[in-house]
Amino acid sequence: MGTPTHCPYCALQCGMTLSRDGAGGAARDTVRVEPRDDVPAGRGGLCQKGWTAAELLTVPDRLTAPMMRRGRDAPLEPCTWDEALGRVAAEAERLGALHGPDAVAVFGGGGLTNEKAYQLGKFARVALGTSQIDYNGRFCMSSAAAASGRALGMDRGLPGPVTDLAASGAVLLAGGNPAETMPPFMRHLTEMRAGGGALVVVDPRRTATARQADLHLQPAPGTDIALANGLLHLVIAEGRADGDYIAARTTGFGAVRTAVNAYWPERVERITGVPVPLMREAVRLLARAGRAHVLTGRGAEQHARGTDTVSAFINLALALGLPGRAGSGYGCLTGQGNGQGGREHGQKADQLPGYRRIDDPAARAHVAGVWGVDPDSLPGPGRSAQELLSALGTPGGPKALLVFGSNPLVSAPRAAAVEERLGALDLLVVADFVPSETARRADVALPAAQWAEESGTMTNLEGRVLRRRRAVPPPDGVRTDLEIIGALAARLGAPGEWSTDPAEVFAELRRAGAGGAADYSGITYERIEAEGGVFWPCPSQDHPGTPRPYLDRFPTPDGRARFVPVEHHGPAEDVDAGYPVYLTTGRVLAQYQSGAQTRRVPALAEAAPGPFAELHPDLAARLGIEDGGEVRVESRRGAVTVRARFSDAIRDDTVFIPFHWAGEGRANLLTNPALDPVSRMPEFKVCAVRLGPAR
């Protein structure tokens, strides 16, 4: 009998069964992966990353003992757990006494289980007393979360089960490439098209997803707001808006209608480069569908105006009457494995469990009661992820950083500056299962258990809470993140309970989140087992869960969705004579996030061995760049040298570099840390660069 669980990678959380021979030791080398067909989101599918996931358990450089530097310039050397934890606790207490509790910061990850995300947020506020906690999900989902919250009253990735897409009449996907980032997702879109539905893709590149679309709109990077406003202008001008729905279920339409009057088709074509006939066809395909979805991905969201960009697409969906109708709506494609749950339970700078605001007195009182502390002892909001990383080691900034489940030296924008800030810390602690680029810079590296070596829950992109089950024991000397957090809390004398049992932590999470927007109080491990997952919100054990929120009303004060007028401003850093080419970044099929996991799997490393710059042959000819030759790409923040890859699938004013690799090909040496004023999302997806043959 195998162990049913879920893939460790993206938020689709495809089902898999893990089986092995024997009872330990060398049997770790024979863990086998088989797909499960009882998980609707994945429908029995796995991508290459999922099929090879078991190889992560035996990577040659696996961390199996704590490592510590005896001095600033000394190498990392093995030490005991007592030495490592004692060093961390003593330094945290010393720095806190000298500089105040905010001297110690915590940086989490969107791949942590719900239990670990919850416990990490509690640890920061109770054990450390610090406000300085955020996570790498700020780099992924924050713009969609902010826009959904202000328009729909709730941040939940999809408006219904993923399977609803197969019955849709049309899907507009802006800035997403699931054919490479979550391939099994494409089964739902393929089924939709087979049933007569249409797929419209908005992307500056003709990606693997765009090649399967019925219509591809190819705007200049940073012009998505203008395009969405232009599509809405056409919806109104052509009489395709759902007036009855707008009157009954929304507010604010008049202001948006006035704003988009200025986005007539010919003007939008000049801004975006998208021909007017293609815009009209996109509107026709959406309007004719009985059911339709408007979806966004990171390409639309990772901008200094990412919240406004998502708002523009939500406005389009609202005008067509989609949100709150069964089988229709607006949604975003969550990226990281627990990108949805990871932002609900308190590891964001401004939130407490249950998706509560940390500056809400009632929320503070409720959560403090569960934790057994005085509400006044809880810190207030802290710095967002990029602001936190930029403040490390500065006067008034944190002097120590504890990292769980993240690799910011590769994943954060303006990576050279982040590296400098990490070097200015008195103490850097990283819990990971491999020596990632960030872990190799640590003063203390703690070996953590992997996905198949621990239990817990994950919340996939449709809001379904799922069980992750332990299939194999961790290597000797390795501890789970819950064990690490509990041991540190004990050494710091933290009040309250610090269980290392995921089931007990989940029970406490349910109490802490009860009554919040993301209410898990009616979800139990037993229900998840029996029902194949439970959709939140689920406020009681006799509640069926909520697969399709918004059907009766929106969770806003008046029950109506809000139109939000937004204007096109262009990228924070536009092209000019000195830097005349747009850079955009993204992912490739065989790699994942910062590559710390996938670069260690031989089959994946062979399929995608290194970074490259994808550019149009016409652009290459103007610059004297040869296909396959080395090209130097330079922004105002740094430079990389990578191989050129010619493609007519990209605009001739744009270059694309994937961000999975470290070293001289690190794409995030180039990217712009300009922040969205609402979500605090950095502008990963567009900046100005110059390029030429490397010499």
Side-chain angles (χ1 to χ4, degrees), residues 257-444:
R257 180 175 54 197
T258 299
V260 301
N261 279 342
Y263 292 85
W264 59 92
E266 292 74 17
R267 179 190 176 216
V268 173
E269 179 176 330
R270 289 196 299 272
I271 295 171
T272 66
V274 176
V276 172
L278 296 187
M279 288 188 269
R280 293 189 184 278
E281 177 64 6
V283 167
R284 186 187 70 83
L285 291 173
L286 285 171
R288 76 172 188 183
R291 297 179 174 184
H293 290 80
V294 174
L295 306 177
T296 61
R298 303 303 80 71
E301 299 160 11
Q302 288 179 322
H303 293 272
R305 295 280 179 175
T307 303
D308 284 355
T309 305
V310 176
S311 292
F313 283 105
I314 293 177
N315 290 339
L316 176 64
L318 290 172
L320 291 167
L322 306 181
R325 286 172 48 204
S328 295
Y330 162 77
C332 67
L333 298 188
T334 306
Q336 295 187 79
N338 200 30
Q340 180 70 61
R343 63 187 189 264
E344 297 167 356
H345 305 301
Q347 65 171 334
K348 285 182 70 176
D350 54 353
Q351 287 183 356
L352 289 172
Y355 226 127
R356 289 181 163 92
R357 291 185 58 87
I358 199 168
D359 57 3
D360 176 359
R364 294 169 64 86
H366 172 82
V367 174
V370 174
W371 289 348
V373 299
D374 185 336
D376 291 338
S377 72
L378 298 179
R383 295 178 173 95
S384 70
Q386 186 61 29
E387 293 165 306
L388 174 58
L389 294 173
S390 298
L392 298 175
T394 64
K399 312 303 179 188
L401 178 68
L402 281 62
V403 179
F404 288 79
S406 188
N407 187 18
L409 265 183
V410 177
S411 62
R414 202 178 183 185
V418 173
E419 188 167 6
E420 180 180 300
R421 300 290 10 113
L422 292 178
L425 289 167
D426 287 32
L427 179 71
L428 174 61
V429 181
V430 178
D432 209 330
F433 71 90
V434 293
S436 69
E437 286 72 24
T438 306
R440 288 200 291 268
R441 292 294 304 270
D443 299 294
V444 181

Side-chain angles (χ1 to χ4, degrees), residues 436-525:
S436 69
E437 286 72 24
T438 306
R440 288 200 291 268
R441 292 294 304 270
D443 299 294
V444 181
L446 304 174
Q450 285 197 59
W451 60 287
E453 300 164 351
E454 60 184 0
S455 297
T457 59
M458 307 285 278
T459 306
N460 74 353
L461 79 173
E462 58 188 358
R464 190 194 303 252
V465 184
L466 304 165
R467 279 292 312 278
R468 173 180 282 182
R469 299 168 180 83
R470 174 172 146 151
V472 296
D476 292 341
V478 170
R479 298 187 181 184
T480 68
D481 288 322
L482 290 180
E483 291 171 337
I484 294 170
I485 293 169
L488 286 173
R491 286 176 179 266
L492 292 167
E497 298 295 324
W498 298 90
S499 176
T500 60
D501 180 345
E504 293 179 357
V505 176
F506 188 74
E508 184 178 302
L509 176 160
R510 292 169 55 211
R511 296 195 302 273
D519 192 334
Y520 282 37
S521 58
I523 303 175
T524 65
Y525 278 19

Side-chain angles (χ1 to χ4, degrees), residues 9 30 49 86 132-133 150 163 208 211 246 282 325 345 353 370 378 406 439 462 529 531 538 614 643 657:
Y9 292 113
T30 61
K49 294 186 288 291
Q132 302 299 290
I133 175 172
R150 72 185 184 184
T163 49
R211 288 196 295 271
I246 291 169
R325 286 172 48 204
H345 305 301
V370 174
L378 298 179
S406 188
E462 58 188 358
E529 296 272 6
E531 300 173 27
C538 183
E614 179 182 286
R643 295 284 179 184
I657 301 178

